[in-house]
Amino acid sequence: MSRRQRAEVDAMVRRPRPEGPRSVEELRAGFRAMMAEMIVPAGIRTQTATLGDRPAVLVEPAGTAKAGTILYFHGGSYVVGSPETAMSLTGNLVTKTGFRAFSLDYRLAPEHPFPAAIEDGLSAYRALLDSGEDPSAIAFAGDSAGGGLTAATCLAARGAGLPMPAAIVAFSPGLDMTRTGGSMASKAGIDPFFTREGLEHTGAMYLAGQDPHQPMLSPAIHADLTGFPPILLQAGTNEILLDDSTRMATRAREAGVDVILDVTADVPHVFQAFAGVLDEADEALERAALFLRQHIRTKGTAHTPAS
């Protein structure tokens, strides 16, 4: 374990930030600046695309991609972020699996509160299916709020009568908008990113007055996960959202769903974004890539690079 690297990352993310609630514009600018420091791997090519009725970024290996598609949902509390801010994560999954990925630019709150992001996720998945992609060749992946969207989009797809994707990979997912996990208190002050007050500030923008006790808002405690595909949940011990993953894993297991709960010690929220800086990040992404390769089943030909 790389104790020095983990200490350096912890110090980096604890750099002083403006106190008090910030405007949406300030939140978005700050998040863009922070994520611009993450290392995007070489060996990928990107291109703007449309999926459903939303923009997306198609991320491909430099050569010919293997048959199979990752539908990626970026993080950012449903308020900030974009495919570009998640490129270190999406790019690493693409280079480590050989699959292409579509990173969806779903609508953000407060301009577009719940359930806009889920509607966009469902539309994107439907577009992949309509294009001829077999569901066994599609996996959902996402980080933070995007990790929550992987589960919510599965619920929406099942409700719409669509087949389930092959697998779900969720990095530090937000899976409980009621904020009732024990780690909300036990990890307070240990988490270098989040406070309860900060999550409630952005959460209120997404909820827009909706009751958080709904399956699509809090699947870790309220969703029926029967029939879900295999799930990989990765989280760190230094995050207040840790129990979102632990309770989701329990709920999945009780529903007869194959689930792996992968918890790394002394690392922060979405530590996988620090690939190239933190050994644990690279190792976690290797495990995620292995999981995706094991579960994505393809019958068609490989994807040629987009022009």
Side-chain angles (χ1 to χ4, degrees):
M1 293 189 293
S2 51
R3 296 187 184 278
R4 180 182 56 80
Q5 292 175 346
R6 284 179 290 173
E8 290 173 352
V9 166
D10 188 77
M12 181 191 311
V13 297
R14 289 187 190 276
R15 287 179 299 194
R17 300 189 187 98
E19 295 185 3
R22 288 181 285 169
S23 69
V24 173
E25 292 74 20
E26 290 170 329
L27 288 170
R28 289 173 179 167
F31 191 71
R32 280 195 303 271
M34 178 180 69
M35 298 309 292
E37 298 180 15
M38 305 305 165
I39 299 171
V40 176
I44 60 170
R45 43 189 289 159
T46 63
Q47 167 175 319
T48 57
T50 300
L51 208 53
D53 55 2
R54 291 298 302 167
V57 174
L58 172 61
V59 186
E60 299 174 292
T64 300
K66 297 178 183 176
T69 299
I70 300 166
L71 178 55
Y72 197 87
F73 303 104
H74 69 80
S77 300
Y78 300 104
V79 172
V80 306
S82 68
E84 287 73 24
T85 62
M87 193 56 66
S88 64
L89 295 162
T90 315
N92 270 293
L93 288 180
V94 166
T95 58
K96 293 177 186 300
T97 63
F99 300 127
R100 67 176 183 173
F102 283 96
S103 188
L104 184 66
D105 193 4
Y106 58 86
R107 290 171 291 170
L108 299 175
E111 298 90 343
H112 304 282
F114 170 80
I118 301 169
E119 292 170 348
D120 292 345
L122 178 62
S123 177
Y125 181 48
R126 194 188 298 273
L128 287 175
L129 296 175
D130 289 346
S131 73
E133 195 87 17
D134 193 280
S136 66
I138 302 171
F140 293 172
D143 63 281
S144 195
L149 271 180
T150 64
T153 302
C154 271
L155 290 170
R158 188 180 65 189
L162 299 179
M164 290 288 95
I168 290 173
V169 169
F171 302 135
S172 298
L175 296 162
D176 174 23
M177 291 293 289
T178 71
R179 310 302 186 199
T180 54
S183 56
M184 290 293 299
S186 65
K187 301 298 181 178
I190 297 172
D191 189 320
F193 282 122
F194 291 142
T195 63
R196 178 183 290 275
E197 293 74 22
L199 288 177
E200 289 176 348
H201 178 55
T202 53
M205 297 182 199
Y206 181 58
L207 288 172
Q210 291 279 336
D211 182 358
H213 295 82
Q214 299 181 47
M216 288 190 185
L217 288 168
S218 300
I221 56 175
H222 290 301
D224 175 8
L225 304 181
T226 302
F228 261 48
I231 303 170
L232 172 64
L233 301 163
Q234 289 188 344
T237 60
N238 288 6
E239 54 178 312
I240 61 178
L241 294 183
L242 173 60
D243 281 354
D244 287 34
S245 290
T246 60
R247 289 176 298 158
M248 185 71 168
T250 298
R251 196 166 190 84
R253 185 170 60 249
E254 291 174 347
V257 175
D258 292 340
V259 60
I260 297 173
L261 175 63
D262 180 353
V263 179
T264 298
D266 300 326
V267 293
H269 185 69
V270 194
F271 67 95
Q272 299 87 345
F274 292 93
V277 174
L278 180 66
D279 289 346
E280 284 82 359
D282 293 284
E283 293 162 2
L285 285 163
E286 290 286 359
R287 295 193 296 273
L290 174 62
F291 182 84
L292 290 169
R293 293 195 303 269
Q294 288 174 328
H295 291 286
I296 288 180
R297 305 283 184 240
T298 59
K299 301 175 183 176
T301 57
H303 298 290
T304 56
S307 60

